[in-house]
Structure formats: structure tokens, C-alpha cells
Amino acid sequence: MNIHVLQTGSTLVSSAVPDRSSHRWGLAYTDLFQRRSKRICVPVKAFLVETEGHRVLVDTGWSEACVSHPLRHLGFGLWFASEPVISEGEGVPAQLEKMGLAPEDLDAIILTHLDCDHASGLVALKGAKHVFCSAEEWAEAQTANVRYRSQLWEGVDIACLEMADDSAAPFGKSCDVFGDGSIMAYLTPGHTKGSVAVLARGETGYAAFVGDDSYNRHSWEDQKLPGPLDDADAMKRTLAWVRGFSQDPACLGIYAAHDPEGPQGGSGL
């Protein structure tokens, strides 16, 4: 199994985004009524996974439209809450090109959820063979929820993951994406209604791609709730599930989209 970490710049956010306990006010993660100079900078990553003959991109990171026109690309609300910082050549398509790859070489893109910093780069990658998110996430994105901006996936054919009942899954639902056990998607609500985590299996173990189910190792070690939440109780269950990976010898690494330290282990890392 080969894993390529594709950092697409970073984002400037309130410190309450990765840890809502850092502020008393429940909406502090929006950065309202806070000095922008106090924001923290966290990376925005996508992950290219090659295993068992499949090439899969987990999330898309920032679009390079954010280099010159971030406000136009994201709209004021999303731009204000999650200010993008990205330079030319940091978008996923440019990084794929350096590896001799094109979007058409991707067997699938799996979106852990549809927040802007995970779906911003999607349109430029629409040549991928398949693009997936959960049915729960797609349904929520059709509502008036201010977290979602439909322009970010305009013209992209997004299919819903075909979840099956799974008693071993944290919320009872999983999807065997290619039918061979190599790429598994698990429903992990909490951060959003339809968040998923992706487990990629190789010959020596598995890697977990957790999106925003955990922002960094402190999230799962100390069970820190993030600022943006759909369901706090579900988020606690998801965090506990992710913590289990760190204690599993078969886990080759936990890959979180905004972790400044890079992949964290299970003891198999």
C-alpha cells in the first residue's frame, strides 16, 4: 500500500474549531466577535491511496480558485469561518500531474464529508471514475444548512456509498467500495450528519483516514470535541472508535485532514 499526503495549503480558523473547550461560547468556532489575529493555522490535506490495484483519493482539499478568488469561490460565510491559504501548484490536480497522474487515473474519490475544505477542489477532479459521499451527507447538503455550498460540486456526478448493515461498524453501517475489502467506508456521524471514515487495507495492516472525525491526536487521546458539530453524543462515539485505532497493532497510521503532526499510529506504524 502506498499513501501520498497531499497538503493543499492551510486554513486560518478559531482555536475552537479543533477544540470547542478552548472557548466558553458554543459558536466560537465561527470566529464571530474574535480578533482575526488570534486565529490558528492548520493544514488542509487530501490523501492518495494505492492498494490492491485501486487508486483512491480521500477528500480534495482546497481548489486553486482560492489562490486568486477565495471569497468568490467560497462565499462570505465559509470564507470568513475558514479562510484558505494556498499557493499556485498546491491544488490536488497540480500535485497529481507531478506524479504523472490525471484525475481520470483515479478509480474513486471518497469525500469524508462536504465541508468546503474537503470538497473545494472537487470540480477540477470530476474526471475521476467515481465520486462518492454518504447518502446521509448528500441529503443534508440539499437542505439550507449554511455549511454546504452546492457550487463546489456543480457538474460533478456524486454517487452515494451503498452502505450495508455491519454489526462491527461504530454506527452499524459500512460500505465495501470495490467489493474486495481493500477500501472500506464507515458511517461516522457527529462532525456532520453523514461523515465517513475510510479504512484502506494492505498486506501488513490498514490505514485509517478520518477526515474531521479527529483533528489531531489530542482529539482522540483526550476526547476533544470539535467546534463544528451535528451531534455531540455521536461525535463522542466516533472519537472513541478512532482512539481504538491508536491501540491496534494492525493500524499502520491514522490520517486526519488537519493534523499538523502528520499520520499518527497504532503500534503498527
Side-chain angles (χ1 to χ4, degrees):
M1 179 165 55
N2 293 317
I3 298 170
H4 306 271
V5 179
L6 308 179
Q7 182 169 337
T8 66
S10 56
T11 184
L12 300 175
V13 295
S14 166
S15 61
V17 168
D19 177 10
R20 69 169 35 230
S21 68
S22 65
H23 289 258
R24 293 181 180 179
W25 186 41
L27 293 177
Y29 67 89
T30 65
D31 213 44
L32 288 170
F33 312 120
Q34 298 173 63
R35 286 191 293 177
R36 295 175 72 79
S37 62
K38 296 293 186 180
R39 288 188 166 198
I40 62 172
C41 182
V42 297
V44 175
K45 302 175 185 178
F47 303 99
L48 178 64
V49 187
E50 298 172 312
T51 188
E52 301 296 325
H54 308 299
R55 186 177 287 124
V56 176
L57 181 71
V58 181
D59 290 331
T60 70
W62 287 130
S63 165
E64 286 197 23
C66 292
V67 175
S68 54
H69 302 293
L71 186 57
R72 183 190 307 170
H73 179 66
L74 297 175
F76 178 78
L78 296 178
W79 170 83
F80 182 86
S82 302
E83 184 177 345
V85 179
I86 180 173
S87 301
E88 295 257 354
E90 288 188 315
V92 169
Q95 295 192 54
L96 290 178
E97 186 176 3
K98 289 178 181 178
M99 290 186 276
L101 299 173
E104 290 75 13
D105 296 313
L106 300 174
D107 295 304
I109 296 172
I110 302 176
L111 298 161
T112 60
H113 59 299
L114 291 171
D115 276 351
C116 62
D117 50 340
H118 296 258
S120 167
L122 189 53
V123 171
L125 295 163
K126 65 181 180 180
K129 295 180 178 70
H130 301 281
V131 180
F132 296 112
C133 72
S134 74
E136 291 82 355
E137 188 75 355
W138 185 246
E140 187 66 13
Q142 311 313 304
T143 70
N145 191 324
V146 296
R147 291 178 71 167
Y148 301 108
R149 181 170 173 82
S150 61
Q151 290 92 327
L152 299 184
W153 46 85
E154 187 173 5
V156 180
D157 183 14
I158 299 180
C160 293
L161 292 161
E162 295 184 6
M163 294 282 183
D165 292 338
D166 182 349
S167 60
F171 291 84
K173 291 185 177 181
S174 69
C175 175
D176 186 346
V177 177
F178 297 109
D180 59 4
S182 62
I183 301 289
M184 298 291 299
Y186 293 85
L187 185 66
T188 53
H191 178 65
T192 70
K193 198 174 294 295
S195 289
V196 299
V198 177
L199 268 59
R201 300 187 184 278
E203 292 182 0
T204 60
Y206 68 89
F209 301 88
V210 298
D212 287 356
D213 287 344
S214 290
Y215 276 78
N216 50 54
R217 63 182 174 86
H218 300 291
S219 298
W220 64 78
E221 286 180 355
D222 303 324
Q223 299 290 280
K224 294 288 189 181
L225 291 177
L229 279 175
D230 175 71
D231 184 318
D233 289 336
M235 189 75 243
K236 291 174 184 177
R237 285 177 59 187
T238 293
L239 283 169
W241 185 65
V242 174
R243 181 170 57 189
F245 299 143
S246 69
Q247 302 163 349
D248 185 356
C251 181
L252 303 174
I254 303 171
Y255 293 78
H258 304 299
D259 189 352
E261 297 182 20
Q264 305 294 317
S267 54
L269 185 65

